[in-house]
Amino acid sequence: MLGGGLQLALIPAPLIAAAIVVFALSPWQARAAQVVAGAGIAATIALLAVEAAFLNGSGRIETSLGTPVAGIAYLLRLDLPGVTLGLAASAAGLLLLLESDRQTREVSALLVSIAGTLVAALAGNVVMLAGGVEIAGVGTLLMTSATRGRPGRGGLVAIGLEHLASLGLVVAAVQLLSVAGTTDFAVIPAGAMGATIAGPWAAAGVMKLLSPAFVPVRGTRTPTAAWATTGAIPCGAIVLLRLREAAAGPLPQSIAIGLAAVGGVVAIL
């Protein structure tokens, strides 16, 4: 483990480097793109695994990359939920690369989506969480337009929901700053999590989880749009897990009822 928390900032670095290389490749170099992407994802998995060994099950590692705006820090944190979801997204992406008929644009979209998921999993506050969710949303946009150059109607709905999820987190962050003066998960006062904060936060997680359901899956060749779940499901899960952690107790009754109602409707559908 590197000192000073620098190791957390380096975890997504192989993915970012691989994405830069893949974006520079031509459409006829899909095989090279898969090799580069696989190496980047494998390196990220290795870094996550090394850092997970220092968590001792229930601990966490935190570091700040600076505070560009008063009260808003680029805060990173690694704990067991973050490690689990980060490894799940990375491993799923690595398995998807085993499909031999993928295009270069599809591979680059997958890398962006996994990178966003990792940023969300490593986020130490709501601001960084919103940033990771938005990056994963960009990955979905690239995925749904990789084949035809533009997303279909279902893809547009999914993209809209993902960006609304980011907006919900931004609203929650603004409310938290005005009420508690911080968006850091570890120090949010339990009494600060009212309906005006928990509501947009919970809606963000739900919309992120549901967004892939609107992307159509047709044909014998599984569309790249189906890969959107690689980023959407782990991102939605981490959003709701961080909400539960920040609440440090039961959610406001109206939010709990709303989540139960949405879950019931989705189960019926």
Side-chain angles (χ1 to χ4, degrees), residues 245-260:
E245 174 189 341
L251 294 172
Q253 187 176 19
S254 58
I255 305 303
I257 293 174
L259 287 174

Side-chain angles (χ1 to χ4, degrees), residues 10 14 19 24 47 61 88 128 137 157 161 198 208:
L10 290 179
L47 289 174
I61 305 170
M128 293 295 292
V157 173
L161 285 175
K208 192 68 177 178

Side-chain angles (χ1 to χ4, degrees), residues 22 53 72 266:
V22 172
I72 301 177
V266 171

Side-chain angles (χ1 to χ4, degrees), residues 22-139:
V22 172
F23 272 109
L25 295 176
S26 69
W28 299 277
Q29 295 177 295
R31 186 58 182 171
Q34 287 178 296
V35 172
V36 171
I41 296 175
T44 294
I45 291 175
L47 289 174
L48 273 173
V50 168
E51 294 307 319
F54 292 89
L55 291 178
N56 296 322
S58 60
R60 65 173 182 252
I61 305 170
E62 286 190 0
T63 186
S64 176
L65 303 181
T67 308
V69 180
I72 301 177
Y74 292 151
L75 186 64
L76 299 178
R77 181 177 73 168
L78 188 68
D79 56 10
L80 188 57
V83 167
T84 302
L85 291 171
L87 286 174
S90 300
L94 194 60
L95 291 174
L96 289 173
L97 288 174
L98 296 178
E99 298 184 30
S100 59
D101 60 344
R102 290 300 158 191
Q103 302 174 9
T104 302
R105 293 178 61 183
E106 296 173 328
V107 175
S108 60
L110 181 65
L111 285 172
V112 173
S113 183
I114 298 175
T117 301
L118 273 178
V119 172
L122 293 172
N125 56 25
V126 183
V127 174
M128 293 295 292
L129 182 61
V133 169
E134 182 64 16
I135 294 171
V138 172

Side-chain angles (χ1 to χ4, degrees), residues 126 129-130 133 161-176 192-208 236 239-240 243 251-252 254-256 259:
V126 183
L129 182 61
V133 169
L161 285 175
E162 295 210 8
H163 287 305
L164 283 175
S166 302
L167 181 60
L169 288 173
V170 171
V171 171
V174 171
Q175 291 288 337
L176 271 173
M193 294 299 295
T196 58
I197 296 174
W201 195 333
V206 169
M207 287 188 287
K208 192 68 177 178
V239 167
L240 294 177
L243 170 61
L251 294 172
S254 58
I255 305 303
L259 287 174

